[in-house]
Amino acid sequence: ILPISADHAAYAEAVHGQLAMHNLRSRIDRDCTVARRVAVAQHDGVPFVVIVGDREVRDGTLAVRARDGQSTAPLGEGIAQIVARCTG
C-alpha cells in the first residue's frame, strides 16, 4: 500500500486493516517517491500495489496496480476483487 503523502496514512491504515481481516498480507510503504516505490514493488514481484492519494480518500476507492493492468473500484469491491484473485 503506497500512500502518496502523510495525509493519506489513515486511509492506507484502513485499507491495510481490511486486507488483514481477509487474511491477506500487506504492508504500508512510505519510503522514497511513489514512482520509486512502484518500481521496487514490480522488481520484487509484488502482485498488487494499492496507491492511496487524494482521489481515493475523497471517493472511498482503491487504485490497484496489478501485473496485468490497473483498476479503480469502490473500497469494498476493490478488496473483494483482490481477495478473489488471491484465493482463486
Side-chain angles (χ1 to χ4, degrees):
I1 303 170
L2 309 179
I4 302 291
S5 73
D7 297 338
H8 310 114
Y11 191 76
E13 290 287 345
V15 171
H16 178 67
Q18 294 235 356
L19 290 169
M21 287 189 321
H22 288 90
N23 297 318
L24 295 177
R25 291 177 295 157
S26 66
R27 68 182 171 102
I28 299 172
D29 188 352
R30 296 178 177 100
D31 298 333
C32 305
T33 65
V34 172
R36 177 74 179 139
R37 290 181 279 167
V38 168
V40 168
Q42 284 182 325
H43 179 268
D44 291 347
V46 175
F48 301 99
V49 176
V50 176
I51 300 172
V52 176
D54 289 337
R55 186 177 324 142
E56 290 76 27
V57 172
R58 182 187 64 234
D59 298 341
T61 59
L62 281 185
V64 179
R65 183 180 185 128
R67 293 179 187 156
D68 60 353
Q70 300 178 42
S71 66
T72 301
L75 180 60
E77 184 179 317
I79 297 282
Q81 289 173 3
I82 293 172
V83 168
R85 290 185 66 179
C86 288
T87 58

